[in-house]
Amino acid sequence: MHGTTSSYVIEPNAIPSIPVAGTDKMFPVHRVYCVGRNYAAHAVEMGHDPNKEPPFFFQKNPDNLDTTGEFPYPPASNDVHHEIEMVVALKSGGTDIAAEKALDCVFGYGVGLDMTRRDLQGKAKDMGRPWEVGKAFEASAPCTPLVPASSIGHPTQGAIWLDVNGERKQTGDLNQMIWKVPEMISYLSGLFTLMPGDLILSGTPAGVGAVVRGDVLRGHIDGVGDLEVRVV
């Protein structure tokens, strides 16, 4: 139900949004889905067999997105990890979307980080609890402006990497995704009603590791863009 501003009992928060590269337009964000263990080497790195697991997803909050270029080290953790990912932004959605039609839903792509309080995530895993405390905290999803698919197409291969203070930490290729973008969209649409404004963080290659204040993170995805974030 919608209403005028005067009908709300408190002032509504601003709509979370990401800039669209090369324009003065903004992309409004509805939900943020993240696919787990979508690169085989990272799945092995985290102690899992990528050949035995169906895709699984968790969510961040839309207002966890951050485009300021700074990542404030979060409270309650001493082990915060970087995870470089390609961001998929949807312009349309639905339910039970066929994989062969899924890319019609995509507005564009970006470069993002799924910053993770690994110690809190590990405790949650051990206790069989949800991951939100490890994943969905403030500024935990640094992101570049989005590049429209109308400009770059739909990337299916190309380097994805992350440097920390000039040293290569994560490296892979988009073609190493276990579940490709159309499959992610199709699978998700069988669980949720996907909507315009939804984002999907599509998984991270191997090499995740801890950051500390003062670190400079530089991420890159061929054909999509570059991200630079300073830990403060």
Side-chain angles (χ1 to χ4, degrees):
M1 183 175 180
H2 300 282
T4 63
T5 301
S6 61
S7 69
Y8 294 109
V9 296
I10 60 172
E11 188 70 19
N13 293 318
I15 297 173
S17 58
I18 305 174
V20 177
T23 77
D24 59 357
K25 303 292 187 182
M26 301 294 290
F27 181 89
V29 178
H30 177 246
R31 291 179 181 169
V32 181
Y33 300 97
C34 307
V35 60
R37 305 178 197 132
N38 199 31
Y39 287 73
H42 175 60
V44 172
E45 175 180 59
M46 299 304 290
H48 301 275
D49 184 346
N51 298 313
K52 292 184 178 180
E53 295 189 355
F56 76 95
F57 297 85
F58 56 91
Q59 292 188 32
K60 288 181 180 277
N61 299 313
D63 60 2
N64 295 157
L65 291 159
D66 190 275
T67 58
T68 65
E70 291 189 342
F71 171 71
Y73 199 96
S77 177
N78 295 304
D79 190 22
V80 178
H81 284 206
H82 55 75
E83 298 189 11
I84 185 76
E85 315 213 358
M86 184 170 74
V87 178
V88 184
L90 303 187
K91 63 183 179 183
S92 61
T95 58
D96 298 321
I97 299 167
E100 57 268 22
K101 295 185 176 180
L103 291 181
D104 294 340
C105 299
V106 176
F107 168 78
Y109 299 88
V111 183
L113 285 166
D114 168 17
M115 302 302 292
T116 303
R117 293 192 284 202
R118 190 72 75 202
D119 44 1
L120 300 189
Q121 183 197 30
K123 290 177 183 177
K125 286 181 180 179
D126 291 344
M127 300 176 74
R129 293 179 175 175
W131 292 6
E132 275 79 4
V133 294
K135 291 289 192 177
F137 55 93
E138 281 66 34
S140 62
C143 186
T144 64
L146 299 173
V147 182
S150 58
S151 299
I152 63 168
H154 298 284
T156 58
Q157 60 183 9
I160 174 172
W161 52 257
L162 180 82
D163 290 350
V164 179
N165 303 324
E167 182 180 351
R168 187 65 41 91
K169 295 293 187 179
Q170 289 187 262
T171 186
D173 194 287
L174 296 177
N175 64 17
Q176 296 168 341
M177 287 185 186
I178 300 168
W179 298 91
K180 312 304 183 185
V181 172
E183 295 169 329
M184 288 182 228
I185 294 170
S186 178
Y187 189 91
L188 266 174
S189 72
L191 298 171
F192 303 94
T193 299
L194 296 181
M195 298 287 288
D198 284 346
L199 300 183
I200 303 171
L201 273 63
S202 55
T204 196
V208 301
V211 301
V212 297
R213 289 182 178 89
D215 282 349
V216 175
L217 314 181
R218 291 189 175 91
H220 170 86
I221 300 176
D222 282 356
V224 179
D226 296 274
L227 174 66
E228 181 171 323
V229 176
R230 180 178 294 274
V231 182
V232 297

